[in-house]
Amino acid sequence: MTIKTIIMPFASHAHAQERLEGALNVARYFDAHLEVLHAQINPRQLLPEESQLISDEFYKRIDQIVSDYVSEDFESVRETFDDTCAKLGITQMPATPKQSASTAHWQDVPGFRGEVVAEKGKLADLTVVPQPKRGKSSVSFEAAILHSGKPVLVMPRTQAQFSPKHVVIAWNGDTQAVRAVAAAMPVLRRANTVTIITSERSESKRPTQTGLCDYLALHDIESHCVVFKSGRMRVPQAILETAKQHDADLIVCGAYAHQRIHQQMFGDVTKTLLRKSTIPLLMIG
């Protein structure tokens, strides 16, 4: 797999400088195109469908209020984007075939953010999202994981750099872990060190971590295996502790989800990693 197109949904101006610079550095790492997507909702989408209940004058006032808010709120962010592109030497332009250097483009897109991410993510190689606030999965993360079918890179909100040297693969032999490894191949090939970590509870689960090690070797990727004991810690916390002990700067893992009556629920491993990780996560569902 080659990473050539990346999308980044942008919904708030908190830590805008770091988040934009981080995403742009991801694009530089892959020599890829970054599309920053600012989803904008038409005020009429927020009002009752029974248009006869609301006058045209009221619609116009609401539309003007929302437009003024969006313009004021994101004018400085757009300037930050322009300045950061200039600082990093990244040309602003739409994606073009056969481009050989990283480029970026800011796009205001009408619609709800989740729907925009789900649609645009299907035709991108990677979606970059910030680590959710307060540990709860964000609309962007859920849409990308559950509907795009492509990998998601979760970046700490204040991390502006991306150049992983030591990559940890959280392995248990499940389909999601397999897909995560496949999506991470461009990163694994460039890493100085690749460590496959497995809980003692999953050590015998097939395919085993040694099987993965042999598979990666066929792709000229050298790796080594570590089996960790979670003890009194839960497995996701043990994953984070093991990654920290090995000075990892990226964790590759599957994102685990299941449905419960009209609501998407993420498994304990995914939720804990989202809440507590201090390094980027490359995930896929």
Side-chain angles (χ1 to χ4, degrees):
M1 179 179 178
T2 303
I3 305 293
K4 298 304 296 180
T5 58
I6 303 170
I7 66 167
M8 177 198 185
F10 206 97
S12 70
H13 58 273
H15 301 294
Q17 170 66 46
E18 296 94 333
R19 289 163 54 201
L20 288 169
E21 187 168 346
L24 288 165
N25 275 316
V26 172
R28 291 180 71 191
Y29 177 86
F30 290 110
D31 285 332
H33 175 77
L34 173 67
E35 198 77 21
V36 179
L37 303 175
H38 174 215
Q40 295 179 304
I41 301 174
N42 186 316
R44 290 177 180 266
Q45 294 178 270
L46 304 176
L47 297 174
E49 294 182 1
E50 296 81 0
S51 58
Q52 67 271 18
L53 300 179
I54 300 176
S55 67
D56 288 340
E57 182 61 29
F58 183 74
Y59 266 128
K60 291 178 182 178
R61 290 180 62 187
I62 292 296
D63 183 59
Q64 187 61 52
I65 291 171
V66 173
S67 297
D68 290 345
Y69 171 77
V70 170
S71 176
E72 179 181 348
D73 191 40
F74 278 90
E75 183 177 352
S76 62
V77 175
R78 182 58 195 269
E79 290 177 358
T80 299
F81 174 72
D82 294 339
D83 293 342
T84 307
C85 285
K87 169 186 171 182
L88 299 178
I90 294 179
T91 302
Q92 291 192 53
M93 59 183 290
T96 58
K98 298 181 180 180
Q99 65 184 57
S100 58
S102 54
T103 55
H105 183 234
W106 178 286
Q107 186 177 4
D108 293 320
V109 186
F112 291 99
R113 179 159 43 101
E115 295 174 355
V116 170
V117 172
E119 175 192 349
K120 300 289 186 180
K122 292 173 181 175
L123 297 180
D125 299 315
L126 179 70
T127 299
V128 176
V129 300
Q131 190 171 23
K133 293 180 179 178
R134 297 176 293 277
K136 295 183 179 180
S137 60
S138 65
V139 169
S140 296
F141 176 80
E142 292 183 6
I145 285 291
L146 298 173
H147 302 296
S148 75
K150 300 296 182 65
V152 178
L153 180 63
V154 182
M155 293 280 286
R157 287 177 171 265
T158 58
Q159 179 165 331
Q161 301 299 319
F162 184 79
S163 183
K165 304 300 182 186
H166 187 173
V167 179
V168 158
I169 301 172
W171 180 257
N172 63 0
D174 284 356
T175 301
Q176 290 89 344
V178 173
R179 296 183 67 203
V181 169
M185 292 299 278
V187 180
L188 298 177
R189 290 192 180 97
R190 295 178 58 175
N192 295 337
T193 307
V194 176
T195 303
I196 305 167
I197 66 172
T198 302
S199 166
E200 60 181 348
R201 304 173 192 174
S202 303
E203 184 178 4
S204 60
K205 191 173 180 180
R206 296 179 179 276
T208 64
Q209 62 175 189
T210 55
L212 174 60
C213 186
D214 293 340
Y215 169 78
L216 292 176
L218 294 174
H219 290 268
D220 298 320
I221 299 171
E222 183 179 348
S223 62
H224 65 281
C225 301
V226 170
V227 176
F228 62 85
K229 295 181 180 180
S230 56
R232 293 185 179 181
M233 286 189 295
R234 304 182 76 172
V235 170
Q237 185 62 44
I239 290 174
L240 294 173
E241 290 294 330
T242 305
K244 182 179 180 179
Q245 290 169 9
H246 288 80
D247 294 322
D249 43 23
L250 176 69
I251 297 175
V252 173
C253 58
Y256 304 94
H258 57 276
Q259 281 193 326
R260 285 185 184 173
I261 313 176
H262 308 303
Q263 187 178 17
Q264 295 287 357
M265 303 292 292
F266 286 93
D268 181 59
V269 173
T270 301
K271 289 189 290 188
T272 300
L273 293 180
L274 286 175
R275 184 172 68 253
K276 295 187 176 181
S277 181
T278 57
I279 63 176
L281 306 167
L282 184 62
M283 313 179 86
I284 193 168

